[in-house]
Amino acid sequence: MGEWFTREIADAGRLRLFCFLLAFIAAFLFIRFSVRMIRRQARWWPGNVTPGGRHIHHVVFGLVLMCVGGVGGLAITNDSSGWAAAAAAVFGVGAALVLDEFALVLHLQDVYWSEQGRLSVEVVFITIALCGLMLVGLRPLGVDDSAGDGVWGIAGALLFNLCVAVIALLKGKVWTGVIGLFIGLVAIVGAIRLARPDSPWARRRYAEGSRKERRARKRERRYRLPVQRLGDRLSDLIAGRPSIKS
């Protein structure tokens, strides 16, 4: 295990990313455990931070930690030092606290335990997936694959990969588009296949009642909704079930 860590993480220049991801996951699990205990009004748990009666959301602490970790990381020149790893970990903790309240920041209101609050959990999962892909050596938009093709070849490959990934995202296929940034074939498949019915692409290009619109809704009911229900159960298990009231 030690040899693998040295070869694949430390020697490959991924130590800071590894520490960031580890701290990010640990902080997310901790803060979700904390808010669930607060929600249950567990007497043995400290509860919210409310100096002077004002509830301080943990996104505030996350912003401070991101500033400390980010500036500290910029100031450290040795990427493989323990200080660099520590700064990355601090940044990871801060990022987890901020993204855990992403929906609150987006809506500028406390939607943490509503259905809208599920967005925060989805953003956290996407972040973990992206960091995991980079940790195993994948690079966005196929940079490594086109490195030897000259400037125009690299620019063309990057532009093509970016375009198909954006099309997949516009078709409402978030996971396909995000993973497609690293694995071009996934983005191509997402860009070619039918869009989700309520996506920006479908609203502009699929007329109401058209054959494509009917097919899109049929596919949504048959394939997408069962997957979404499974994802919601996983989210509830890890992050807690939202309140019925949105």
Side-chain angles (χ1 to χ4, degrees):
M1 189 67 179
E3 293 181 359
W4 173 86
F5 183 85
T6 301
R7 182 181 66 255
E8 299 295 334
I9 303 299
D11 292 346
R14 300 173 191 150
L15 179 62
R16 290 186 298 173
L17 179 60
F18 176 82
C19 293
F20 169 88
L21 181 58
L22 199 64
F24 183 91
I25 295 173
F28 171 70
L29 294 176
F30 170 79
I31 198 61
R32 277 289 166 169
F33 174 79
S34 175
V35 295
R36 291 176 76 170
M37 292 301 100
I38 295 171
R39 190 187 193 190
R40 293 180 182 179
Q41 298 181 338
R43 294 183 178 180
W44 56 275
W45 194 251
N48 291 313
V49 179
T50 55
R54 180 188 295 274
H55 177 203
I56 306 297
H57 289 274
H58 51 265
V59 65
V60 176
F61 300 100
L63 288 171
V64 173
L65 290 173
M66 286 183 69
C67 291
V68 172
V71 174
L74 291 173
I76 298 169
T77 56
N78 186 357
D79 295 344
S80 60
S81 69
W83 287 110
V90 171
F91 190 85
V93 172
L97 297 181
V98 170
L99 293 184
D100 186 57
E101 293 200 307
F102 178 85
L104 181 150
V105 176
L106 178 65
H107 295 282
L108 292 180
Q109 57 181 322
D110 194 351
V111 295
Y112 195 87
W113 290 117
S114 71
E115 285 292 331
Q116 293 170 316
R118 288 186 186 273
L119 177 62
S120 298
V121 183
E122 185 173 355
V123 169
V124 167
F125 286 172
I126 289 174
T127 303
I128 293 173
L130 290 177
C131 291
L133 290 172
M134 288 190 289
L135 197 60
V136 298
L138 296 179
R139 293 292 178 265
L141 302 179
V143 173
D144 291 346
D145 296 337
S146 57
D149 297 335
V151 175
W152 291 109
I154 294 174
L158 293 178
L159 183 59
F160 174 78
N161 291 338
L162 180 61
C163 286
V164 292
V166 169
I167 291 174
L169 291 170
L170 289 175
K171 287 189 172 185
K173 303 174 182 182
V174 177
W175 279 97
T176 301
V178 168
I179 295 176
L181 290 172
F182 294 82
I183 306 174
L185 181 60
V186 175
I188 293 173
V189 172
I192 293 175
R193 292 178 66 84
L194 207 61
R196 295 185 61 192
D198 295 320
S199 65
W201 184 279
R203 288 197 298 267
R204 290 186 63 87
R205 300 181 65 88
Y206 299 169
E208 186 175 354
S210 65
R211 180 170 175 269
K212 283 189 174 182
E213 197 264 350
R214 293 195 305 270
R215 285 179 56 207
R217 296 199 176 277
K218 182 178 179 180
R219 290 174 61 88
E220 184 82 357
R221 291 191 299 269
R222 178 177 295 180
Y223 302 113
R224 171 65 184 179
L225 291 182
V227 174
Q228 184 173 341
R229 285 194 291 267
L230 180 62
D232 288 345
R233 293 193 189 100
L234 177 62
S235 173
D236 294 345
L237 178 65
I238 296 175
R241 186 186 298 274
S243 303
I244 297 176
K245 184 178 180 180
S246 181

